[in-house]
Amino acid sequence: SQDVIERVTTTARSLGYRPNPLARGLKTQSSGNIGVFVPDLTNPMFPEIVRGAEAVLVDAGYTPILANTKNDRERKLMLVDHLKQRQIDGIIIITALRNDPIIATCRENAIPVVVSDRGIGETELPGLIIDDQYGMRSVVSHLVAFGHRRIALISGPQQLSPSISRHSAALKAFHERNIEVDSNLITFCNDFSREAGHRACRALLDRDRSFTAIITLSDIYAIGAIAELRDQGLSCPGDISVTGYNGIRPTKWLSPSITTVDLPKREMGRRMAEIMLHRLKNPAGEVERIVIRPTLIERESSGPVRHG
């Protein structure tokens, strides 16, 4: 009865009683824990996504367990094994390798998974799809409006789904705006770091100095590229315009502040957590995939082509 419920609750509160989550987990087969896998905690983009996911999960009574995967296959599999032993309820994977073995491992162990940035070949997985076509189209159009026709591209590791998606979107946007795709003006980075942006920009300048703008597929690359231009006595955007991608906070504080394609990171985290909660309540329900559209933020690092 309601009277008994109130008396038990009052007595439990007065005694400082707290439910034992381990004992409850044995009965419900649920730990109340959700794994949140990120590839690099030092990248300013990912903490914002984690904070968005954390807010939703905690409000729903779940405890997020953060894991830094370093995009290493063996490390991911080890982490999944550890979490499986702790009866993890599900795993949110923020960015992923193409053909990531972690997906098959989670399926084999009946662990619900929600992913992001997997717009290539994983249509059966719940999660987010970033509309990179829209993002790249907006930044190419922005540069073309400033008179740029020779545009270089600093791309990311091609084993990662976000890099593949953005690279493909950039090439498509070039074709749509009749921009020549010159292989001398395209370079690839092996990791996401400021140093990689430095090296990529140096490689471009060593090959061909006819370009007037650089599109980078990560703000981290843009920061490195601008530093390399400065080291070589070139100004940004006076000599060469530079754009980034992701919209991390430091881009607006640097000099020059960086034009970027901004992803709504908190919203991404919230939506992934909501998809996970829905999946846990309705495991046999329809696979939920949400398209996230980025926004171009115009700042100081891009400007008109300097003539003469």
Side-chain angles (χ1 to χ4, degrees), residues 253-274:
W253 299 323
L254 297 173
S255 181
S257 57
I258 298 176
T259 295
T260 184
V261 178
D262 180 50
L263 300 180
K265 292 164 282 296
R266 292 283 185 98
E267 180 189 353
M268 288 169 62
R270 287 196 299 269
R271 299 303 292 272
M272 292 183 76
E274 290 167 355

Side-chain angles (χ1 to χ4, degrees), residues 44-98:
M45 175 179 172
F46 299 118
E48 288 294 297
I49 300 177
V50 171
R51 290 178 69 179
E54 179 186 45
V56 172
L57 294 175
V58 170
D59 283 349
Y62 286 87
T63 300
I65 299 178
L66 183 61
N68 187 24
T69 68
K70 301 181 181 179
N71 267 325
D72 182 88
R73 294 173 185 265
E74 295 304 317
R75 182 180 176 87
K76 284 183 180 181
L77 294 176
M78 177 195 70
L79 289 167
V80 170
D81 186 60
H82 287 339
L83 293 178
K84 181 184 69 174
Q85 295 176 36
R86 289 161 176 77
Q87 291 185 313
I88 197 76
D89 291 336
I91 299 177
I92 294 173
I93 305 175
I94 302 171
T95 75
L97 294 168
R98 191 175 187 181

